[in-house]
Every structure is written in structure tokens, then in C-alpha cells.
């Protein structure tokens, strides 16, 4: 009863602030089976059951005729409201763009997301500490370098300023970059006016950028494979890379936190928008103007989500550690992040609070949780012990700014 009360209180308080922070500002432990379907999951099932046949939705490639809502070349479109667009978004923007950028220099460690976000506003292209030493050579004990993939409206620094240095100090070569940089005119959303808001372009394009970066890491380190740690969209776009951009043979482990693997209802808001779009009213096209292409692609029932999971959740030869938090207000229901193992894959689904009820990490502070850090280190090296400390929502880092 106490847990339910806390969850209800936090979710109610987060409902508005979560959208602003996650989309408006930047945004081997104990294995656990997914919990019983929540109210949000039941809503998602209802929405999914009423979706138009994904096979009937054409995916329009770049260079299509201008004037269409699905145009990914030049010009703007009117938006048809049907969701028959790239990513199934029902976009009212016809422009497409986006690119990746390398980091410059290194920022200080940060124990809280708020602190890292503030620093990142003034230094949007800085790397998190301990990362991007291109002279680093993996050891026999830790042969795969670690690639950190940030989430939507975030960047390499503010997403990983807490975990990157300890991963490096544990003996791993760590690399990261900023992907999916898509400005307002390219459909990245209004939040891209803030410095350092990345991960807003089409996820399919971002996966190609990850492919290029991983190849650079492999060439520099001489390694055969990498391990990937992804937060939020960082998990979903990494799976896109694994399944469609050749990453399956280049990744040994995928470790994700709050990842939108099966889309999000965003506390029901995303599911409601999808239902309205199916009635022929382009509400998601309007929302996309604000949250950007990738934000809409991550809502439940989008073409991107459907295509990502059409052939199963996993690829052979990859070990998956998938972590969700009961207090996640962005990836909802939180257990929708969990994956089902297919042939040749190992999946470990972990609820962050199992065995550590005092960790109240929400979506943004997941990567500022000492327990999260210990799960990463344990997934990379099972000899590393799990940690459990108090971690408050919004602030993270054990409550220290």
C-alpha cells in the first residue's frame, strides 16, 4: 500500500513537469519478470488493437514529392492526419534533417541531472568525464569498449556525467557522441532552440549515425565488438542499429535504462493522441512541431515502434540488460521497456527498485542513480557488486547537487 501511494503521488506530480523536462528541456542485479499489466498497459493494448494495419502505411523515403506530410526531402507539407508518414507520425512538417557531432573537451563529474543540465547549457558539446580517449586500448579483462548513447533532447554530457568516469575507472574504454541533432526548421521541435538538445531527428537516421561512430571506435581500439549503454531513446535507437544497420555483429552487450523499446503512452497522453490520429485528426502532427520527429516516433503504436519489434525484440548473439524504474514518468508503463528473448539472445529484465526500495529514480535521474551505475558495472563484469542507496526523483545523485 505504501509503495502504491508513493507511486501515485509521484506520477501525479510529474505529469506536467515530466513533459517539460524530458521534451522541453533536454530528455546483474536481481532479475524481475514484468509486473502485471498496469492501467497504462491496458490502455496501450486498447490503442494497439484499434490501430490501422501497419502494412497499409507506406514508408516514404527521402526525395519524395514536396507538399506531402510524408515528404522527407525539401519543402513543407500540409499534414494529412492519417499517420501515413515516415514513422507513422502524421507529421505536419515535411522537412527532414539531422546530423551527429563529436564532443569537444571534457566536463566535470556531476552527481545530479539538474547540475549537469545547467552545465550543459553553457557547454553543449562537452564530453562527460572519462570518455573519448581515442588512445585508450581495451585490456584482455575488458576487451570491448563501452559506447554511451544519450536520450531525446539530451546530450552526451548531461546524460552521462555521473556514470562515465566510474566506468572508465573500472578499466573500460568509454566513448560517446551527440547524435540526431535536428534544428527547428528540420522538425526537431521547439526545444532545439536550447543548446545541447539532441536526439530529435528521425530515429532511423540516428541509427545510421551510431553505425558510423561505432565503426570509428572499433577501428581506433582494434576491438571486434563494443558494449552499448543507452538511456531512453538511446536504447531504442541502439536496437534499430542492431537490427537494421549491421550492429548485430558488432555489439556484445546492450544495457538500457528507461528505454522506449515498445513505445510510450506517456501517462496515457501518447496513447490518446494515437487514437485521435486514427480518427483522422492530425493531433500528433501538431504535437510533433513541439517535441520533434523522434518524440512522436516513440509514442505507442507508431510505425517506428511497430517496425522495430515486428521480427522480435532481440537479435542473436547479443546479451541484453534492460532496466526500468517504477517511478518513470516518461516511458510508461515502465515495464513496457522490458524485452522478450528471442533465439540466441540473453535478456535480463530488472526493476530498479527490486531489492532497493529507497531508490526513487524517475526517468531523468535514472542515469544519476548509484544503483544504476552498479548495474552497469555488474553487467560489464559480474564480479562487481550491486549498490543500493537513496536516490530522490528529479535531483538524483543521492540527493547531492
Amino acid at each position: 500500500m505504501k509503495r502504491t501511494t508513493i507511486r501515485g503521488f509521484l506520477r501525479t506530480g510529474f505529469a506536467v513537469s515530466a513533459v517539460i523536462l524530458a521534451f522541453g528541456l533536454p530528455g546483474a542485479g536481481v532479475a524481475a519478470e514484468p509486473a502485471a499489466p498496469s492501467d497504462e498497459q491496458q490502455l496501450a493494448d486498447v490503442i494497439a488493437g484499434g490501430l490501422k494495419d501497419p502494412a497499409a502505411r507506406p514508408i516514404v523515403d527521402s526525395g519524395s514529392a514536396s507538399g506531402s506530410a510524408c515528404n522527407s526531402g525539401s519543402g513543407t507539407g500540409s499534414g494529412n492526419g492519417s499517420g501515413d508518414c515516415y514513422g507513422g507520425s502524421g507529421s505536419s512538417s515535411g522537412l527532414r534533417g539531422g546530423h551527429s557531432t563529436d564532443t569537444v573537451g571534457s566536463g566535470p563529474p556531476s552527481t545530479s541531472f539538474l547540475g549537469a543540465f545547467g552545465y550543459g547549457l553553457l557547454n553543449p558539446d562537452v564530453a562527460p568525464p572519462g570518455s573519448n580517449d581515442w588512445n585508450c586500448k581495451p585490456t584482455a579483462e575488458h576487451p570491448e569498449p563501452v559506447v554511451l548513447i544519450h536520450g531525446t533532447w539530451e546530450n552526451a554530457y548531461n546524460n552521462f556525467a555521473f556514470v562515465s568516469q566510474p566506468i572508465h575507472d573500472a578499466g573500460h574504454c568509454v566513448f560517446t557522441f551527440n547524435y540526431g541533432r535536428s534544428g527547428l526548421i528540420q522538425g526537431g521541435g521547439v526545444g532545439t532552440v536550447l543548446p545541447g538538445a539532441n536526439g530529435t531527428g528521425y530515429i532511423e537516421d540516428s541509427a545510421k549515425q551510431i553505425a558510423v561512430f561505432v565503426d570509428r571506435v572499433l577501428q581506433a581500439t582494434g576491438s571486434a565488438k563494443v558494449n552499448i549503454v543507452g538511456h531512453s531513446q538511446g536504447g531504442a535507437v541502439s536496437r534499430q542499429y542492431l537490427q537494421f544497420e549491421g550492429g548485430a555483429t558488432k555489439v556484445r552487450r546492450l544495457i538500457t535504462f528507461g528505454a522506449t523499446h515498445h513505445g510510450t503512452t506517456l501517462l496515457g497522453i501518447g496513447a490518446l493522441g494515437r487514437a485521435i490520429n486514427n480518427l483522422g485528426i492530425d493531433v500528433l502532427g501538431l504535437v510533433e512541431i513541439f517535441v520533434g520527429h523522434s518524440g512522436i516516433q516513440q509514442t505507442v503504436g507508431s510505425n517506428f515502434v511497430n517496425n522495430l519489434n515486428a521480427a522480435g525484440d532481440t537479435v542473436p548473439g547479443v546479451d541484453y540488460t534492460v532496466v526500468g524504474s517504477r517511478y518513470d514518468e516518461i516511458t510508461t508503463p515502465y515495464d513496457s521497456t522490458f524485452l522478450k528473448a528471442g533465439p540466441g539472445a540473453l535478456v535480463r529484465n530488472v526493476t530498479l527498485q527490486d531489492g532497493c526500495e529507497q531508490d526513487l529514480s524517475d526517468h531523468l535521474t535514472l542515469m544519476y542513480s548509484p544503483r544504476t551505475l552498479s548495474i552497469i558495472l555488474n553487467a560489464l563484469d559480474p564480479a562487481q557488486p550491486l549498490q543500493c542507496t537513496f536516490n530522490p526523483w528529479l535531483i538524483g545523485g543521492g540527493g547531492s547537487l
Side-chain angles (χ1 to χ4, degrees):
M1 177 63 70
K2 183 177 180 181
R3 180 190 301 169
T4 302
T5 301
I6 294 175
R7 287 179 62 193
F9 173 77
L10 291 177
R11 284 190 171 183
T12 300
F14 288 156
V16 175
S17 61
V19 177
I20 296 174
L21 281 171
F23 291 124
L25 292 180
V30 178
E33 294 298 325
S38 61
D39 292 339
E40 292 95 338
Q41 182 62 63
Q42 293 173 7
L43 176 59
D45 292 341
V46 171
I47 298 301
L51 288 174
K52 299 175 181 178
D53 180 7
R57 300 177 185 173
I59 297 179
V60 180
D61 295 325
S62 60
S64 301
S66 62
S68 164
C70 299
N71 177 31
S72 57
S74 61
T76 57
S78 60
N80 59 16
S82 66
D84 297 337
C85 300
Y86 195 100
S89 64
S91 169
S92 58
S93 171
L95 292 177
R96 181 171 180 185
H99 61 281
S100 64
T101 59
D102 286 336
T103 57
V104 179
S106 179
S110 179
T111 59
S112 78
F113 173 78
L114 290 180
F117 173 70
Y119 185 89
L121 285 176
L122 300 177
N123 305 273
D125 294 312
V126 72
S131 68
N132 291 354
D133 175 3
W134 291 94
N135 293 316
C136 184
K137 298 298 181 183
T139 64
E141 184 180 8
H142 303 300
E144 297 93 13
V146 178
V147 176
L148 308 177
I149 306 296
H150 64 75
T152 310
W153 291 57
E154 294 178 302
N155 54 57
Y157 177 77
N158 64 31
N159 213 158
F160 299 112
F162 179 68
V163 302
S164 56
Q165 186 69 57
I167 296 174
H168 173 270
D169 292 345
H172 303 275
C173 295
V174 181
F175 299 90
T176 188
F177 74 124
N178 294 319
Y179 72 87
R181 178 165 291 186
S182 182
L184 180 61
I185 199 68
Q186 287 84 32
V190 296
T192 55
V193 300
L194 291 174
N198 302 297
T200 60
Y202 284 117
I203 300 177
E204 295 86 347
D205 294 341
S206 295
K208 297 179 187 299
Q209 296 161 21
I210 291 175
V212 172
F213 186 78
V214 168
D215 283 349
R216 287 176 58 197
V217 171
L218 294 177
Q219 182 177 11
T221 60
S223 300
K225 293 187 177 184
V226 301
N227 297 314
I228 292 180
V229 176
H231 173 246
S232 192
Q233 182 195 156
V237 69
S238 295
R239 285 184 59 217
Q240 176 75 18
Y241 163 61
L242 289 177
Q243 295 180 212
F244 302 108
E245 299 299 335
T249 61
K250 301 175 182 179
V251 176
R252 180 178 179 188
R253 301 180 185 90
L254 176 60
I255 309 167
T256 69
F257 295 85
T260 51
H261 291 310
H262 296 104
T264 175
T265 68
L266 196 59
L267 292 178
I269 297 173
L272 177 62
R274 182 67 58 191
I276 294 174
N277 252 51
N278 287 348
L279 295 176
I281 304 172
D282 188 18
V283 64
L284 290 182
L286 177 63
V287 174
E288 186 171 8
I289 296 175
F290 295 94
V291 304
H293 294 315
S294 67
I296 291 298
Q297 283 189 299
Q298 293 172 83
T299 57
V300 63
S302 72
N303 269 6
F304 169 75
V305 170
N306 291 340
N307 293 336
L308 181 65
N309 298 296
D313 291 353
T314 63
V315 297
V318 177
D319 291 349
Y320 298 78
T321 299
V322 184
V323 182
S325 171
R326 292 193 179 103
Y327 305 108
D328 194 320
E329 72 284 13
I330 299 300
T331 300
T332 59
Y334 86 90
D335 53 9
S336 66
T337 193
F338 293 154
L339 300 177
K340 182 178 180 180
L346 176 65
V347 172
R348 181 177 57 168
N349 291 317
V350 180
T351 297
L352 189 69
Q353 287 77 28
D354 282 355
C356 191
E357 293 294 337
Q358 59 265 49
D359 193 319
L360 306 180
S361 299
D362 68 304
H363 190 77
L364 293 172
T365 58
L366 262 171
M367 301 314 298
Y368 288 81
S369 161
R371 187 164 181 80
T372 285
L373 173 60
S374 73
I375 291 173
I376 295 173
L377 295 177
N378 180 269
L380 296 172
D381 180 1
Q384 295 292 324
L386 290 180
Q387 304 293 328
C388 178
T389 61
F390 169 67
N391 197 55
W393 59 270
L394 188 61
I395 297 175
S400 172
L401 290 175

